[in-house]
Amino acid sequence: MSFTSNGCSRRQFLKTTGAAGLGLLASSAAADFLSAQEPPLVPTRPFGKTGANVAILSMGGMFDILNNQLMLRQAVKWGVTYWDTANSYEGGNSEPGIGKYFAKYPEDRGKIFLVTKSTAWTLTGMTEHLNLSLERMRTDYIDLFFVHAVRIRSIPIRSIDSMDKDMQRWGEKAKAEGKIRFFGFSTHSNMEECLLAAANLGWIDGIMMTYNYRLMHTDAMRRAVDACAKAGIGLTAMKTQGGGQVLTNTPEELKLAGRFVQSGFTEGQARLKAVWENPQIASICSQMPSMALLSQNTAAAVNRARLSAGEREMLDQHAQASAAGYCAGCTGICEPALAASVPVGRVMRYLMYGRSYGNRDFASSRFQSLPAQTRAVMAQVDYTAAEQRCPQRMPIGRLMREAASELA
Ligand code: SF4
């Protein structure tokens, strides 16, 4: 598949995206990919036991899709045909952006594995969200519908225990009506416990969870992923860059980035490759708000070179050296140790959106959605006990105070 045969010449592509100025060719893997006359499509993998094969790179829907339709067009042409959105993304504008695309290119709907999520947390609310998602995206069905952000048992709201018989029946009814093909949930915190519980339920088709080079080698995560793979649950990794809350830019980090570029790919591409090396992971969901990032990640997906033992070691060393700057989402450890109710894991995630992803507006809007009382107390709480328990040894108190002022 060449640019020209797709109706988008290389010159048009670069002109439209300003790609050269955005560092599009930041790796030789990307340069090889973009210069190929017939670049290969992104490979696919089976999604658990669903029978569906999905692209190993999934396009995250947290960007202004309404005004960046070329991104979706190019994604289809490169085989990035797994699209992930949510009722709430982009203030509710992500789904209409996808709907705008399908209105223009209805023939592409059948090529896309379409995922969306509901934060309703009541069965009636989920039905309303599902119907709204179908209407917004101008489609008759969703391939995979997620209950969004399932958590640990000790935090009752959105607990994994909410995935009960009633929820199972809701999913079966939606399937019988032809509105969804598969049903599952996403999870950003205490992922290991949520995955283990899901493996025992017997009716979860798919899960999207935080999973990256920092977390994938822990015993708890290995056990959880193994259990899901045995249960035939399709797994999608997110937050795969392992972006931290404390940005350091140390000389060691710069050296690490330089070493990978010498290997032919960027450090970011190496982090994706590390996750793809586990065949139990069907796909990686990546936020790719620019053509530069879409092409870098697609180039990594089609590039068959494996990380060397030395490169895996470098990532591992980096993970260990920067552990205190990365929240592992184990909120069942730190949050119960506090005298007041502070959603440490969520605030850490918002800090990551602002600091690692550079998406300050989104981070602030998520932070502002926390109850006013929570925002008011979080800078005053004593975090000493939580810090003592934190396996990452994070400076929780300092980061909560910084978040309170930075994201307010
Ligand atoms: S702050 Fe520490 S204990 Fe709390 S969720 Fe993050 S890594 Fe886990």
Side-chain angles (χ1 to χ4, degrees):
M1 184 185 297
S2 71
F3 277 91
T4 308
S5 67
N6 288 327
C8 177
S9 72
R10 187 178 315 282
R11 177 175 295 189
Q12 281 173 323
F13 177 81
L14 294 172
K15 190 176 165 191
T16 308
T17 61
L22 287 167
L24 182 65
L25 304 177
S27 70
S28 61
D32 291 347
F33 172 71
L34 289 171
S35 62
Q37 278 303 308
E38 298 284 339
L41 293 175
V42 167
T44 61
R45 285 184 185 174
F47 192 72
K49 64 178 182 192
T50 62
N53 283 313
V54 297
I56 65 169
L57 178 63
S58 157
M59 177 119 152
M62 279 189 199
F63 67 99
D64 182 8
I65 298 178
L66 276 169
N67 295 305
N68 289 284
Q69 297 279 294
L70 179 62
M71 293 278 292
L72 302 192
R73 190 73 174 143
Q74 196 61 48
V76 173
K77 288 171 181 170
W78 282 339
V80 184
T81 50
Y82 174 162
W83 293 357
D84 175 275
T85 183
N87 174 284
S88 54
Y89 285 177
E90 291 294 303
N93 283 321
S94 177
E95 289 184 337
I98 292 174
K100 181 179 173 184
Y101 182 84
F102 286 144
K104 187 164 183 192
Y105 302 105
E107 69 279 11
D108 280 356
R109 174 63 190 94
K111 300 173 188 168
I112 303 302
F113 188 80
L114 185 62
V115 180
T116 193
K117 319 177 191 79
S118 167
T119 47
W121 284 96
T122 63
L123 300 180
T124 308
M126 281 174 52
T127 302
E128 287 170 6
H129 275 184
L130 173 56
N131 289 335
L132 182 61
S133 294
L134 293 170
E135 189 186 317
R136 282 170 162 178
M137 293 197 279
R138 304 188 195 206
T139 182
D140 295 333
Y141 67 98
I142 306 295
D143 291 278
L144 174 59
F145 194 73
F146 278 146
V147 175
H148 198 19
V150 167
R151 297 175 193 169
I152 193 177
R153 292 205 159 91
S154 61
I155 302 170
I157 306 167
R158 302 184 185 181
S159 153
I160 184 70
D161 287 338
S162 306
M163 304 302 287
D164 57 13
K165 289 282 176 204
D166 288 341
M167 190 71 87
Q168 180 184 6
R169 277 191 284 273
W170 184 94
E172 284 165 359
K173 181 166 177 283
K175 286 180 188 177
E177 291 171 346
K179 292 182 175 178
I180 67 172
R181 293 174 66 206
F182 309 117
F183 190 39
F185 63 85
S186 65
T187 175
H188 310 83
S189 58
N190 307 291
M191 297 76 67
E192 300 86 345
E193 289 165 77
C194 293
L195 263 63
L196 279 175
N200 288 325
L201 289 176
W203 54 268
I204 299 290
D205 298 311
I207 299 174
M208 180 162 82
M209 76 286 184
T210 303
Y211 183 89
N212 53 51
Y213 71 101
R214 295 175 183 273
L215 303 171
M216 62 189 287
H217 302 301
T218 65
D219 288 345
M221 185 59 89
R222 278 182 204 266
R223 268 198 306 276
V225 167
D226 280 350
C228 285
K230 279 198 189 93
I233 296 173
L235 295 176
T236 301
M238 64 171 159
K239 314 279 186 280
T240 49
Q241 290 298 305
Q245 287 72 29
V246 181
L247 295 183
T248 52
N249 261 338
T250 61
E252 286 70 30
E253 285 167 348
L254 294 174
K255 204 167 116 193
L256 180 73
R259 286 283 301 276
F260 278 115
V261 169
Q262 280 169 19
S263 303
F265 32 83
T266 65
E267 188 187 345
Q269 289 173 319
R271 293 178 194 203
L272 296 177
K273 279 178 168 292
V275 171
W276 280 319
E277 288 193 357
N278 182 354
Q280 295 167 313
I281 303 299
S283 188
I284 288 176
C285 178
S286 176
Q287 298 304 328
M288 298 178 282
S290 69
M291 201 63 86
L293 209 44
L294 174 63
S295 59
Q296 286 287 346
N297 289 358
T298 305
V302 303
N303 181 299
R304 296 193 179 270
R306 290 174 61 89
L307 293 180
S308 68
E311 286 160 349
R312 278 195 292 273
E313 177 67 22
M314 279 197 293
L315 278 179
D316 199 36
Q317 281 175 4
H318 173 63
Q320 288 175 31
S322 59
Y326 177 76
C327 175
C330 40
T331 56
I333 295 176
C334 59
E335 292 179 4
L338 302 175
S341 173
V342 178
V344 172
R346 284 172 71 186
V347 176
M348 290 289 191
R349 206 160 65 247
Y350 304 156
L351 266 182
M352 179 189 68
Y353 290 141
R355 292 180 171 182
S356 279
Y357 291 18
N359 197 341
R360 190 67 167 269
D361 291 346
F362 178 69
S364 288
S365 75
R366 298 307 301 142
F367 183 76
Q368 298 297 331
S369 72
L370 294 174
Q373 197 189 349
T374 302
R375 284 179 278 136
V377 300
M378 61 181 284
Q380 273 90 50
V381 173
D382 179 1
Y383 293 93
T384 309
E387 287 176 354
Q388 285 166 351
R389 293 185 195 182
C390 175
Q392 300 287 102
R393 296 279 172 257
M394 297 199 78
I396 302 173
R398 173 164 72 83
L399 290 167
M400 292 300 106
R401 284 188 287 279
E402 288 175 1
S405 92
E406 199 171 307
L407 304 178

